[in-house]
Amino acid sequence: SVVGGCGRSPALPRQPGMAEGEAAGDAGLGPAPAQEGAELAAVIGATVPTGFEQTAAEEVQEKLGSASRISRDRGKIYFEVPARSLPQVHRLRSVDNLFVVVQEFKDYEFKENKEDALKDLEDLVKKLPWTDPLKVWELNNSLKKKKTKRKKHNLQSPASREKLSGGEEGGADQNNTNDQEDCAQNPVAVEPTGGQDTEKPQGVTSRNGVEEEEDNEQSDVKVEVQASSESGTKAGDSQTGEGEAKVLRFRVTCNRAGDKHSFTSNEAARDFGGAVQEHFQWKADMTNFDVEVLLNIHNNEVVVGIALTEESLHRRNITHFGPTTLRSTLAYGMLRLCDPQPTDIIVDPMCGTGAIPIEGAAEWPYCYHIAGDNNPQAVKRAANNICSLLRKNESKDSSTALGIPLDIIQWDICNLPLRTGSVDIVVTDMPFGKRIGSKKKNWDLYPACLMEMGRICTPGTGRAVLLTQDKKCFAKALSRVGHIWRRAQTVWVNVGGLHAAVYLLRRTWERAEERRSFW
């Protein structure tokens, strides 16, 4: 029988006498099954930009009052909240994708023999405590449906329909699920027969409709278990507590990292998915699914979850994408690093499509945000994104719709039309020298940028948060302007598979050389 109770927050102690790696229902990693009338609680897992796990944990503590545990598998945090807090969870700015934890094993023992290891995963399905997590999934669904109804009068394009706040989810009704999982771990799998890989060309699709990608020992798979025609007609899902006649469609996604496993993520997802289908009598559907079951395996850590987001929350503000559009979640992490205070003037001198200033204006409306770029096409895209945001605000409540404290200008990064010492914070994504610019150009551009940023920033209190993958060039440039900028912190991040760094710099009291007059 299925054991009640949502997975306990991994930070909480195990019940005495229970060994991890036992049958999941008995592992003691979930709170006691919900008592009659007790409030439904959920352990939420969130994927966050790699390197900004601590930032995300601080945001969760600040906005939800919950302590988080940062996973050993980088880019994930876990926290426990009452299920009624789901709308606030979806409004978190630093999280990409959300899932409710069914069960976590911190030290799962995989058998060495492949068949035995896969059989254990299959057997796990019927022992897992699915009841409460599925209730949380259902509640999450009802929130999405309410949101969809509210949006019926909104004629904007689907990509622009996410709320300014990060909203509940992407506004798609569960029956017509939008399969756009644009997150760092999960490449989009549009068709079961066509492998699509945005990072590397090695994405392969096997004959049974499984897509697999290997990236830094990590395998991501979207699996469709071939459903027999009989199982597709069986009615109902007793686990949701409603016994509804509609047969739910599902997909299993497996993320595997580590080199000690005898099986691939493709095989794990296929066999685990087959057991899920047998247990619930759901119908497998790779692209038009209602439920996405997640199987995350990181060395000996196993987490089973149910996805609460169809589309990554990082897409929330951007409708017009450029060649190197920054994720909104990463933009939030960068802004938070520089601790904006009310009335601060925040400048992004190389704004691209405007991800950083738009995120800044949404979350720190009591600051004044100035965005600029030397490329007229980028400025146009950023302006369009700002217009989309204004329309979104108006559609929420036209009587109280306010403007956004944000301006966009076309300018030359090395010759900014701003008064010396007039800016509090500079936050920008510098050209990596790959898709835009070149490594060679960066050797001249970086020192000139840092000098000009130093000129406009307030001595003593000014700060800059700069993202770049061209770390060697940046270090050299920084050494040349060491009299005006001091490095305070470095956060290592993963940007589209590239290992990059976010540098927090503090402005010294040293005067920067004055630029020639503009007039």
Side-chain angles (χ1 to χ4, degrees), residues 21-35:
E22 288 177 13
D26 308 317
L29 286 174
Q35 300 299 313

Side-chain angles (χ1 to χ4, degrees), residues 420-442:
T420 297
S422 62
V423 170
D424 298 288
I425 296 169
V426 174
V427 188
T428 199
D429 172 12
M430 300 182 79
F432 287 12
K434 288 186 178 289
R435 289 188 203 165
I436 289 182
S438 68
K439 297 267 186 185
K440 191 176 179 200
K441 283 182 186 169
N442 283 352

Side-chain angles (χ1 to χ4, degrees), residues 131 275 305 320 380 405 410 412 465 493:
T131 310
H320 295 73
K380 190 178 174 185
Q410 186 176 340
D412 172 8
V465 172
V493 295

Side-chain angles (χ1 to χ4, degrees), residues 192-193 205-211 222-224 226 286:
T193 53
T205 305
S206 64
R207 57 186 168 74
N208 64 347
V210 175
E211 177 183 303
K222 309 291 190 197
V223 68
E224 177 175 10
Q226 297 302 321
M286 191 158 173

Side-chain angles (χ1 to χ4, degrees), residues 65-131:
S66 299
S68 297
R69 182 181 71 80
I70 296 169
S71 171
R72 283 178 288 183
D73 181 10
R74 288 190 77 199
K76 291 191 185 72
I77 64 168
Y78 298 97
F79 53 92
E80 188 167 349
V81 290
R84 63 184 155 77
S85 298
L86 274 176
Q88 291 93 308
V89 172
H90 281 282
R91 289 189 200 110
L92 291 170
R93 314 295 297 188
S94 52
V95 305
D96 286 318
N97 287 285
L98 296 163
F99 57 95
V100 58
V101 174
V102 177
Q103 191 75 48
E104 177 182 12
F105 297 95
K106 289 189 181 178
D107 195 15
Y108 187 94
E109 288 183 26
F110 288 102
K111 301 265 175 61
E112 283 186 33
N113 178 286
K114 179 159 83 170
E115 283 69 26
D116 292 345
L118 291 171
K119 182 75 171 66
D120 282 354
L121 285 175
E122 276 184 58
D123 293 344
L124 205 56
V125 170
K126 54 181 176 287
K127 298 168 186 168
L128 290 169
W130 295 99
T131 310

Side-chain angles (χ1 to χ4, degrees), residues 36-301:
E36 199 63 45
E39 186 173 27
L40 181 65
V43 176
I44 302 294
T47 61
V48 302
T50 306
F52 280 101
E53 296 89 351
Q54 190 56 48
T55 303
E58 286 165 12
E59 188 194 7
V60 168
Q61 182 67 58
E62 187 183 292
K63 295 182 178 174
L64 296 167
S66 299
S68 297
R69 182 181 71 80
I70 296 169
S71 171
R72 283 178 288 183
D73 181 10
R74 288 190 77 199
K76 291 191 185 72
I77 64 168
Y78 298 97
F79 53 92
E80 188 167 349
V81 290
R84 63 184 155 77
S85 298
L86 274 176
Q88 291 93 308
V89 172
H90 281 282
R91 289 189 200 110
L92 291 170
R93 314 295 297 188
S94 52
V95 305
D96 286 318
N97 287 285
L98 296 163
F99 57 95
V100 58
V101 174
V102 177
Q103 191 75 48
E104 177 182 12
F105 297 95
K106 289 189 181 178
D107 195 15
Y108 187 94
E109 288 183 26
F110 288 102
K111 301 265 175 61
E112 283 186 33
N113 178 286
K114 179 159 83 170
E115 283 69 26
D116 292 345
L118 291 171
K119 182 75 171 66
D120 282 354
L121 285 175
E122 276 184 58
D123 293 344
L124 205 56
V125 170
K126 54 181 176 287
K127 298 168 186 168
L128 290 169
W130 295 99
T131 310
D132 282 2
L134 280 167
K135 283 181 189 167
V136 172
W137 170 82
E138 245 188 298
L139 179 63
N140 190 68
N141 242 18
S142 66
L143 291 170
K144 275 190 299 183
K145 284 175 182 170
K146 279 181 199 162
K147 188 163 186 267
T148 308
K149 281 175 193 163
R150 284 202 303 272
K151 287 182 174 175
K152 280 195 174 160
H153 302 296
N154 189 344
L155 300 175
Q156 291 174 51
S157 66
S160 67
R161 288 190 308 190
E162 283 191 42
K163 289 254 182 221
L164 164 67
S165 62
E168 275 85 37
E169 264 147 352
D173 198 317
Q174 201 60 34
N175 291 334
N176 106 59
T177 305
N178 186 358
D179 184 22
Q180 290 182 339
E181 295 224 354
D182 184 11
C183 63
Q185 287 79 15
N186 297 343
V188 179
V190 180
E191 292 293 338
T193 53
Q196 180 174 329
D197 185 348
T198 53
E199 300 297 337
K200 293 189 172 187
Q202 295 101 312
V204 292
T205 305
S206 64
R207 57 186 168 74
N208 64 347
V210 175
E211 177 183 303
E212 183 170 352
E213 174 195 86
E214 292 287 347
D215 182 9
N216 296 335
E217 294 188 336
Q218 177 164 318
S219 308
D220 302 336
V221 65
K222 309 291 190 197
V223 68
E224 177 175 10
V225 184
Q226 297 302 321
S228 66
S229 55
E230 306 91 88
S231 67
T233 58
K234 290 189 182 172
D237 167 29
S238 58
Q239 298 304 320
T240 60
E242 291 180 12
E244 51 193 30
K246 184 195 167 215
V247 177
L248 289 177
R249 296 170 180 273
F250 83 101
R251 174 174 86 177
V252 167
T253 303
C254 177
N255 293 300
R256 182 187 66 82
D259 51 8
K260 299 267 167 57
H261 308 124
S262 57
F263 51 85
T264 65
S265 56
N266 146 327
E267 291 163 335
R270 181 195 63 211
D271 290 15
F272 192 81
V276 168
Q277 185 183 22
E278 197 177 314
H279 185 63
F280 290 109
Q281 298 301 318
W282 291 343
K283 186 175 181 180
D285 192 320
M286 191 158 173
T287 54
N288 213 15
F289 51 88
D290 303 306
V291 188
E292 182 172 27
V293 178
L294 305 174
L295 177 61
N296 293 333
I297 301 170
H298 181 253
N299 294 325
N300 282 351
E301 191 176 84

